[in-house]
Amino acid sequence: HGEDLEKLTNECKELLLSLPKEKGWRTPYIYKYQGFWCQPQEIQAIISFQKHFQPRDTDVILASIPKSGTTWLKALSFAIMNRKQFAISSNNHPLLASNPHDLVPFFEYKLYANKQVPDLSKLPDPRLFATHVPFSSLQDSIKKSNCRIIYICRNPFDTFISSWIFSNKLRSENVPPLALEETFKMYCKGLVGFGPFWDHMLGYWKESLEKPDKVLFLKYEDMKEDVTFYLKKIAKFLGCPFSMEEEKEGVVEGIARLCSFEKMKDLEVNKTGKSIKNFENKHLFRKGEVGDWVNYLSPSMVKQLSQLAEEKLGGSGIEF
Ligand code: A3P
């Protein structure tokens, strides 16, 4: 079955025995590690990441809960940070040949997965990484360093639908499809990878209020509405603002186009390649719209999730 417990270290197997567990979406169980839910393989990789990763002040870490626009944020940030080396209009831009997940690796799915402890010291500055780990579980060295974090979140309605459809595509053939109602109940209980979603959002949100130079908090919906505004904001946050010259030359719009949903979805690498574990890249590009949830959620589900969001996030300043 999808869990592959055999491949875990003894240390991790032992830890799992002590953790609360519930039925997972795609795996028999998900476990509550440090207050968030995840799969055994992920826990093992996260522990290794927490133990071994040495941040540098120049590092940039992209953070999100799954299905919030991670792929897009990776593409945009990569294009911004590397624009001197890779001209946006170049036919050889890496984003035309590689999926963003190959250019900006996750700590937990790539770098520290499968018992690896990579040597990241040789990577040139500034290094660009990504994670789904909640803020509270990032190691102190990251919190104390001057490395920068960009967080993207998305309204829970669309995030849920995107996750549900994605999980159904990834499930192995011998597993029955995930029923919408049951999965929705799990989501509302916080039972989703790296959830509860409200804790995930609040952790990064609070830090962004306290340390706005360290954490930039972005929303998918805002970015869909005005991507060039947010591209400038990201570039400024990262200490590499666009020059007047660049703005005049249309570099900002060029990045927006290069990273647009339509452009990326149509690339050969994103139609046929695989980047995260064994997932096909094509599943990462579904609709890329705001509000697609209206086509799936019943009025009572909408009511329930609205109330939950109000209860958990109301008054925080996070609004959708
Ligand atoms: P939908 O399933 O609603 O279409 P993540 O990258 O965190 O896995 O999030 C996936 C969601 O982002 C999917 O939403 C996907 O279609 C959308 N997406 C992927 N690439 C995008 C892009 N370049 N611009 C906007 N949205 C994008």
Side-chain angles (χ1 to χ4, degrees), residues 32 35-38 65-66 134 190-200:
K32 198 175 200 179
F36 62 97
W37 294 98
C38 54
I65 199 159
L191 297 169
V192 59
F194 302 90
F197 67 82
W198 53 89
D199 286 343
H200 205 280

Side-chain angles (χ1 to χ4, degrees), residues 267-283:
L267 295 172
E268 199 52 37
V269 62
N270 292 331
K271 285 199 237 173
T272 55
K274 290 182 178 182
S275 294
I276 313 177
K277 297 202 234 168
N278 246 349
F279 307 163
E280 290 176 89
N281 292 342
K282 64 177 186 204
H283 297 317

Side-chain angles (χ1 to χ4, degrees), residues 69 72 154 158 162 220 224 260-262 265 284-292:
W72 191 22
R154 187 183 193 189
D158 282 328
S162 186
Y220 182 89
K224 282 292 284 191
S260 70
F261 178 81
E262 292 71 24
K265 188 186 167 87
L284 294 164
F285 305 91
R286 189 184 66 93
K287 258 194 173 172
E289 284 172 7
V290 175
D292 187 44

Side-chain angles (χ1 to χ4, degrees), residues 64-76 100-101 106 132 152 154 158-159 161-163 165-166 169 220 224 256 258-265 276 282-293:
S64 63
I65 199 159
K67 310 322 289 174
S68 303
T70 322
T71 314
W72 191 22
L73 179 64
K74 284 185 176 188
L76 296 170
H101 295 289
F106 278 116
H132 288 318
I152 185 165
R154 187 183 193 189
D158 282 328
T159 311
I161 290 302
S162 186
S163 306
I165 293 174
F166 187 66
K169 289 191 180 136
Y220 182 89
K224 282 292 284 191
L258 176 66
C259 302
S260 70
F261 178 81
E262 292 71 24
K263 173 87 186 174
M264 300 199 73
K265 188 186 167 87
I276 313 177
K282 64 177 186 204
H283 297 317
L284 294 164
F285 305 91
R286 189 184 66 93
K287 258 194 173 172
E289 284 172 7
V290 175
D292 187 44
W293 56 265

